[in-house]
Amino acid sequence: MSMIIAGFTLIGVSFGAQSLLHTVASEVLPRRWRSWGQAAVMISNGVGLISGLLVGGQLNRHGEPNGFRNHFYIAMALYFVSAVITTFTYKPIPSKLQLEYTFGQKMARLDWIGYGLMASSLVLFCLGLSWSQNPFSWSNAHVSAPFAIGLALALVLVAYETKFKKDGMFHHSLFSGNRNFTIALICVFCEGIAFFAANIYFAFQISVLYEKDFLIVGLRFAIAFMSTMVTSVFIGLYCAITKKVRWATVFAFLIFAVFFSCMATTNKDTSKAAWGYPVLMGAGLGMTLITLVTVAQLSTPPEQISIASGLLISIRSLGGTIGIAIYNAVFIAGTRNMGMNVGNAAAKAGLPPTSIPAFVTNLLGQNTTGLGAVPGVSPTIIGAGAGFRNVWVSAIGFIVLAAIAACFLFDPSEEFNNLIDAPVEKKEEIYSD
C-alpha cells in the first residue's frame, strides 16, 4: 500500500504540469487560432487515452498477474521519451523575469501557504466524505471532525487569498478584467465533478453489468475519446471562424446532461444502448475543455496565461477530487438503502445466502474481479445491489449548474486576433522580410 501511495503521489506531481500543455499550445499561436491549439491538445490527449485503455485492457485481458505492471513499464518509457523530446526540442525565448530572478527567488515567490491550506483542507474534506456511512455515521468523529476541519481550512484559504496574498495562485489580476474568467472557473469546477463520475463509474458499471473482458471494457470507454477527437476538430474550427464560445459551451453542458440522464436509465438489459452513450460523453468533454480554456485565456492578461491555465486545470482537478468523494458517498448510500441492506436486495434477486458477505464486501470496495468470482453472482444480482443511478443523477445537478453559469459568458470576439503572446522566434525574425 505504501508503494501505491508513493506512486500516486509522484504521478500527481507530473499531472501538475498538464496545464503547461494548454499554455504553450496557446501562447505560441496567434490568438485567433487558440481554439485550434486546444483542439490539437485534446486530439493528442485522446490518442493517448485510447491507446492506454486498449493496451491496458489487452495486457490484463486473461488475468495476467503482471499485466498492470507491464502497463506501468510502458507508461514509464513514454514519460521518459516525452521528457527527452521536451528537453531537446522546446527552447522558448526566456522572459525578462526568468533572467532577473535566481532559482531561490523564484521558489520564494510561490504561494506555499496557499498550497498547504488547499492540500490539507481538501484531504480532510474528502476523508470525511469517504468515511461517511463507510463505515461511520455522520455523527461519528471519524466523519464530522475531518469534514469540519477541512471546511474551516478552506475558509481560511479563501480569507488568505482574498485579503493577504494578492499575487498567489488566485492572482487578483486574473479577476480584474471581466467576468469570463470567474465563470470559466465555476464551469470547469462543475465539469470536473461531473466528468469524474463518468471517469470512475462508467467502466465500473460496464465491467459489473455487461462485460467481463477487460479489453472490451476498455474499448467501450475508448469510444468516448474517439468522439472527443472528432468533436474537437469541429469545435476548434467553429470558435476560430465565428469568434464565439458562449453558446457552444452551453450546448456542450447540455450534451453532458443528456449523457448522464441516459446513464441513469441503464440497467442489466441496456448493454447495446450503453455502447452509444459514451459518444455523448466524449462530445461534451471535447467541447467544454476547448471553449473554457480558450475563453479563460483570452479574458486574462497575456503575462498571466500560465497562471490562468494552471488555475483552471487545478480547479478542474479540485472538482474531480471532491466529486470522487461525493460519488463514493452516494454510491454507498444507494447500496445500503435498498431494502434493509445490499445483501437482502441481492438475495431477493437470487444470490445464495452464503455468498452475501463476499458480494457486499466486493461491491462496496468496487472490486470487479472479486465481484465476478462470487459464487452465484449474475448481472441481475449485481444490478439489484449497485447504486449507479445515484451517481449519474448526482452528476446531472452539477452539469445543470455549469450550463446556467455558461449562459452568462460573453464572446471575447475582439481578442480573436493575430497577436502572438510568446512567439518562439524573436519579433524581428517574425516581422522581417
Side-chain angles (χ1 to χ4, degrees):
M1 179 59 71
S2 59
M3 184 63 71
I4 294 175
I5 295 175
F8 269 88
T9 301
L10 288 175
I11 202 169
V13 173
S14 70
F15 282 164
Q18 182 182 6
S19 60
L20 296 179
L21 302 177
H22 299 278
T23 301
V24 174
S26 290
E27 67 180 8
V28 300
L29 294 174
R31 290 187 174 190
R32 64 176 300 180
W33 299 115
R34 281 192 176 175
S35 58
W36 265 120
Q38 297 307 314
V41 172
M42 292 301 298
I43 292 172
S44 176
N45 192 37
V47 172
L49 288 166
I50 293 170
S51 301
L53 287 168
L54 297 183
V55 171
Q58 178 61 36
L59 290 175
N60 293 279
R61 190 176 192 182
H62 302 296
E64 171 60 41
N66 290 317
F68 75 93
R69 185 172 287 105
N70 294 331
H71 195 192
F72 285 134
Y73 284 143
I74 294 173
M76 179 185 68
L78 291 174
Y79 265 101
F80 178 77
V81 172
S82 299
V84 172
I85 292 175
T86 304
T87 301
F88 291 100
T89 63
Y90 180 61
K91 298 180 179 180
I93 300 173
S95 66
K96 182 180 179 181
L97 291 178
Q98 281 180 285
L99 299 175
E100 288 181 354
Y101 289 103
T102 65
F103 177 77
Q105 290 173 322
K106 294 174 184 177
M107 296 296 290
R109 290 179 64 87
L110 295 178
D111 189 6
W112 295 108
I113 296 178
Y115 302 153
L117 287 172
M118 173 171 280
S120 55
S121 64
L122 185 59
V123 168
L124 291 172
F125 178 83
C126 292
L127 182 62
L129 282 179
S130 298
W131 275 344
S132 171
Q133 306 302 321
N134 184 38
F136 307 106
S137 64
W138 273 99
S139 58
N140 190 286
H142 285 83
V143 176
S144 58
F147 186 82
I149 296 173
L151 284 179
L153 289 175
L155 294 176
V156 173
L157 173 65
V158 172
Y160 173 75
E161 296 292 335
T162 303
K163 300 295 184 181
F164 302 101
K165 190 64 174 177
K166 301 184 184 300
D167 60 347
M169 56 181 172
F170 294 92
H171 202 291
H172 288 203
S173 65
L174 298 174
F175 305 92
S176 61
N178 54 61
R179 65 177 183 270
N180 270 0
F181 186 71
T182 301
I183 295 175
L185 289 181
I186 295 173
C187 290
V188 83
F189 176 77
C190 294
E191 186 272 342
I193 293 179
F195 173 71
F196 273 77
N199 194 37
I200 300 297
Y201 285 92
F202 179 79
F204 181 32
Q205 178 170 336
I206 294 298
S207 64
V208 298
L209 291 185
Y210 310 132
E211 305 287 353
K212 299 304 178 184
D213 189 324
F214 285 125
L215 179 60
I216 303 302
V217 173
L219 176 61
R220 284 191 174 219
F221 201 3
I223 291 174
F225 304 112
M226 297 176 192
S227 175
T228 295
M229 295 170 65
V230 174
T231 307
S232 297
V233 174
F234 288 102
I235 198 65
L237 180 62
Y238 169 83
C239 294
I241 294 177
T242 65
K243 301 180 180 180
K244 297 182 183 298
V245 296
R246 179 187 181 188
W247 294 114
T249 307
V250 175
F251 182 62
F253 282 122
L254 293 179
I255 292 177
F256 255 136
V258 173
F259 164 74
F260 288 117
S261 298
C262 290
M263 290 302 299
T265 66
T266 56
N267 53 48
K268 66 181 181 62
D269 299 316
T270 56
S271 177
K272 291 183 178 180
W275 275 96
Y277 295 156
V279 175
L280 297 172
M281 176 178 65
L285 176 65
M287 295 174 69
T288 52
L289 282 184
I290 290 175
T291 56
L292 290 175
V293 172
T294 299
V295 74
Q297 291 179 341
L298 291 177
S299 302
T300 52
E303 66 273 11
Q304 302 293 350
I305 185 173
S306 60
I307 297 178
S309 302
L311 183 58
L312 194 74
I313 299 303
S314 296
I315 292 298
R316 183 175 187 261
S317 299
L318 174 65
T321 303
I322 294 175
I324 292 174
I326 293 174
Y327 299 135
N328 182 65
V330 299
F331 181 82
I332 291 174
T335 56
R336 290 188 182 279
N337 291 332
M338 296 192 67
M340 292 183 64
N341 53 48
V342 180
N344 284 345
K348 291 178 182 178
L351 184 70
T354 55
S355 298
I356 289 178
F359 173 79
V360 174
T361 300
N362 287 301
L363 178 63
L364 296 182
Q366 300 185 22
N367 183 353
T368 56
T369 302
L371 196 61
V374 175
V377 76
S378 67
T380 301
I381 294 170
I382 294 173
F388 294 113
R389 186 174 184 275
N390 286 22
V391 172
W392 306 128
V393 172
S394 299
I396 293 174
F398 294 106
I399 283 296
V400 170
L401 176 60
I404 294 173
C407 292
F408 294 93
L409 290 168
F410 69 86
D411 295 309
S413 301
E414 295 182 357
E415 298 298 330
F416 281 89
N417 51 49
N418 289 320
L419 180 64
I420 303 176
D421 291 329
V424 177
E425 306 89 349
K426 295 181 180 179
K427 290 186 178 180
E428 54 267 25
E429 294 176 352
I430 297 176
Y431 300 108
S432 63
D433 296 331

